[in-house]
Amino acid sequence: MLKHLNIDEMIAIVAPWVDETKRKSVFLAIPEIAPLHGKVLKAYEAVITLPQTKATPTALASILEEETVVDARHDHLARAISLSLDARAELYLAGHPPDFARAARARDISRKLFPTGLAIVNASLLAESGNTARVARLIRDEEPWMCEFLGEIPAGAPPHTLRDVVDAWIATGARLAELETARTELLAKEAAKPEGMLSPQAARSLWLRVVSQVLSNLELSEAPAEYIEAIRRPVMRASERAERRYAGENGGADDEAPIDT
């Protein structure tokens, strides 16, 4: 569960390993991990510069999380619209007498909203947002009769008509475009960082690789047990707390206890 540690915990774990007054001498006294001390120092310097927060995710993580939610909503709405138009066409054809004209209109709208069928739900986020922007222009400017037709088709609980559902679908596409723009800008800022400065994701990845290697090497060590536990115990305690947080359980007072440094 090391990947679920927050920055404060990551710093607190390795700080004693590089601090002359704490466990640096113990770390260097264990032959199996002593050669890793240079990498530990590099990982420590990488994470010490990151924002130290326990609750607020990085801006990029927040964007990716919202994109996942909005993309799922987009896909569900797209399927609902497509299936509703198909069902409506069948109902028109099942009438007494069949309403061939309105069935044809329902089919026509479906083809124009989904030129490639429901393949759009598997497209990129920018493709999805581009399609809904096209749909917005289509029904509002180019063929406004569609709005009236869609407004006559009930959709059960709110949204009340298929027009409302289409409007909600268009809104998800607009939000996806906003999120993708924000994500691109953040990635551009990361790429523009001075040479040698790691991004938050790279810093966390480096820390994780180094600490995992330390733990792995400790498994092979024949150093005194108290030396091994002095290095290993804080890592395992932090990992256990992270596991409880991840599982959504209440770990009691120990969850708030400081890392053993």
Side-chain angles (χ1 to χ4, degrees), residues 2 5 14 21 27 67 132 180 205 210 233:
L2 293 180
L5 297 180
V14 297
T21 66
F27 192 101
E67 280 188 334
T132 54
E180 276 294 274
S205 178
V210 170
R233 185 177 64 249

Side-chain angles (χ1 to χ4, degrees), residues 6 14 17-18 55 85 116-117 133 175 192 195 230 241 248 257:
N6 59 52
V14 297
W17 301 353
V18 300
L85 287 169
T116 59
R175 183 55 183 160
E195 185 177 355
R241 280 192 291 269

Side-chain angles (χ1 to χ4, degrees), residues 27-49:
F27 192 101
L28 294 175
I30 303 175
E32 290 79 8
I33 64 173
L36 296 173
H37 195 263
K39 295 183 182 296
V40 167
L41 181 58
K42 184 177 179 180
Y44 173 73
E45 291 173 346
V47 296
I48 195 68
T49 62

